[in-house]
Amino acid sequence: MHPGEDDAADRLLRLAHDGGAKAGLVKALRKSGAMAGEMVLPCEDRIIGYYALSTMNQPKGWLCLAAVAIHPDWQGLRHGKRMIGQLAEWARLSGVYVVAAHTPGFFIRAGFSLPRAAGLTSRLAPADLTLAGPGDDVPQQVLSFPKPFGVS
């Protein structure tokens, strides 16, 4: 993401998610310093895809997929799957674990997996968690998300 694209990303989040909750989360992550990175998918003069990664409080070095959005006119064309698939491959190659919460079916189709370790614990339901990284057989970990997520 280039400087100055955050307003376009915020508009896309509001459009794709029918409201401001995801855009508000992204703004709060930016403000808190927990934003690890943001990726956009440009098309001509606009942004049609976006995702945000935040740091995790625990385990150190892990990341969390905070928001994903594809412009409604471009949904169903596999752009989201390709973006998240590239992220999953990056996580595997770089050795960084990335946690995604909610919509497990989408993330699994894009390259994430259900963690085999029953030891991943958080205030989120384990069935809602998917993982990308160097492997899915991870040691016991307590997941602690940054404050803007509203879960610890």
Side-chain angles (χ1 to χ4, degrees):
M1 191 161 121
H2 298 293
E5 291 181 325
D6 36 336
D7 285 343
D10 290 347
R11 284 190 302 276
L12 176 60
L13 284 165
R14 290 176 193 284
L15 182 64
H17 289 285
D18 243 0
K22 288 289 184 184
L25 172 62
V26 166
K27 282 185 180 184
L29 289 167
R30 288 176 188 144
K31 185 176 181 179
S32 72
M35 187 64 76
E38 298 174 84
M39 177 67 78
V40 297
L41 177 61
C43 181
E44 297 174 5
D45 62 344
R46 64 183 180 158
I47 293 171
I48 63 165
Y50 170 84
Y51 71 76
L53 290 171
S54 75
T55 57
M56 297 280 294
N57 293 339
Q58 288 295 330
K60 294 294 182 196
W62 285 33
L63 300 174
C64 178
L65 190 54
V68 178
I70 299 294
H71 191 285
D73 293 345
W74 293 84
Q75 290 178 6
L77 301 174
R78 303 176 57 123
H79 294 299
K81 182 179 177 187
R82 280 192 291 273
M83 284 181 71
I84 301 307
Q86 288 174 340
L87 172 61
E89 183 65 3
W90 171 84
R92 185 184 69 77
L93 294 173
S94 67
V96 174
Y97 284 103
V98 178
V99 176
H102 309 295
T103 323
F106 167 76
F107 292 110
I108 290 169
R109 288 188 303 275
F112 279 61
S113 61
L114 294 171
R116 280 187 241 165
L120 281 187
T121 57
S122 77
R123 294 181 75 185
L124 298 173
D128 287 341
L129 298 174
T130 55
L131 189 67
D136 58 358
D137 193 13
V138 296
Q140 184 169 355
Q141 299 287 342
V142 175
L143 302 179
S144 176
F145 296 84
K147 189 174 183 174
F149 280 95
V151 297
S152 51

